[in-house]
Amino acid sequence: GEDVEQSLFLSVREGDSSVINCTYTDSSSTYLYWYKQEPGAGLQLLTYIFSNMDMKQDQRLTVLLNKKDKHLSLRIADTQTGDSAIYFCAETNIHGGATNKLIFGTGTLLAVQP
Amino acid sequence: DARVTQTPRDKVTEMGQEVTMRCQPILGHNTVFWYRQTMMQGLELLAYFRNRAPLDDSGMPKDRFSAEMPDATLATLKIQPSEPRDSAVYFCASGFDGVGQYFGPGTRLTVL
């Protein structure tokens, strides 16, 4: 079945760039997502990329997709302490336009040191 | 600012009691998902609906859990009888034929 994997933990210093990586197995994934979860809160949709794209940039966030290697990354520029959270990678395979279920990774805990 | 709402936010109950969690999806969204999150299992999909019809509830323990959408503005998840192993945070999410799911704040359930 489909699987999404992430490293469990990343520690960076404030002001540095963070890169969170994700690999997936479903070669027919159509959308790939990054979600952010702060303590005690729900998952917040940060950004997504369609599978025919290589890169998407949104302010401090850059998503890179290597479809050949089934590798997705999220780069956060100028990381702030407020970026400390768990980041989930997820993928879906949309059939016939219907929103299908997401397959989530285990999440990466990003700790930003002041 | 459209959001998914969930009630209650916190629930403490005793083993054997019935628990009902409610979710109001974002107006206009036609797909609703129920998830459970624990430290040990991470995020698990329990069930989801499209246009109020159940599409997949294979992640849900059938003997004690039930999920319904009485109307387009309300989704419910019931546990009867509840057990300590059901303690978790339960999230509802909604989406439309397109991109992304939008999560509610969750219901933190503690079964003693």
Side-chain angles (χ1 to χ4, degrees), chain B residues 7-94:
Chain B
T7 56
R9 292 294 312 275
D10 279 283
K11 176 74 177 177
V12 180
T13 190
E14 293 190 344
M15 184 172 64
Q17 297 298 305
E18 178 179 299
V19 174
T20 299
M21 290 170 268
R22 293 177 174 80
C23 167
Q24 182 171 9
I26 293 173
L27 190 64
H29 281 189
N30 65 348
T31 317
V32 174
F33 304 80
W34 282 106
Y35 293 88
R36 175 170 64 182
Q37 187 178 39
T38 60
M39 288 292 292
M40 295 300 294
Q41 300 295 328
L43 202 58
E44 301 173 274
L45 177 65
L46 297 175
Y48 71 105
F49 296 77
R50 183 167 185 261
N51 296 326
R52 295 176 55 203
L55 279 193
D56 184 352
D57 61 1
S58 59
M60 208 163 64
K62 300 288 191 307
D63 55 339
R64 299 183 299 109
F65 284 58
S66 62
E68 294 180 347
M69 279 202 74
D71 61 59
T73 64
L74 177 64
T76 62
L77 180 66
K78 288 187 183 179
I79 308 175
Q80 168 63 22
S82 57
E83 297 181 3
R85 59 181 166 148
D86 301 328
S87 297
V89 181
Y90 290 80
F91 289 107
C92 173
S94 71

Side-chain angles (χ1 to χ4, degrees), chain A residues 50-64:
Chain A
F50 190 52
S51 58
N52 69 352
M53 298 168 65
D54 298 324
M55 184 182 88
K56 181 177 180 180
Q57 186 150 6
D58 184 0
Q59 300 183 334
R60 291 191 299 121
L61 305 179
T62 303
V63 179
L64 294 177

Side-chain angles (χ1 to χ4, degrees), chain A residues 33 35 37 43 97 99-100 102, chain B residues 37 48 96-98 100-101 103:
Chain A
Y33 305 85
Y35 282 84
Q37 186 178 29
L43 277 71
T99 302
N100 215 333
L102 295 182
Chain B
Q37 187 178 39
Y48 71 105
F96 187 67
D97 287 350
Q101 294 178 20
F103 280 71

Side-chain angles (χ1 to χ4, degrees), chain A residues 4-68:
Chain A
V4 178
E5 293 193 355
Q6 302 177 238
S7 53
L8 291 181
F9 182 72
L10 176 66
S11 179
V12 299
R13 288 194 180 278
E14 192 173 17
D16 288 350
S17 292
S18 309
V19 179
I20 303 170
N21 294 302
C22 168
T23 58
Y24 60 97
T25 58
D26 185 0
S27 57
S28 52
S29 293
T30 47
Y31 285 98
L32 296 117
Y33 305 85
W34 284 104
Y35 282 84
K36 175 184 181 183
Q37 186 178 29
E38 298 183 45
L43 277 71
Q44 174 195 354
L45 177 60
L46 275 182
T47 188
Y48 65 92
I49 189 167
F50 190 52
S51 58
N52 69 352
M53 298 168 65
D54 298 324
M55 184 182 88
K56 181 177 180 180
Q57 186 150 6
D58 184 0
Q59 300 183 334
R60 291 191 299 121
L61 305 179
T62 303
V63 179
L64 294 177
L65 175 61
N66 182 327
K67 201 171 175 185
K68 175 176 167 288

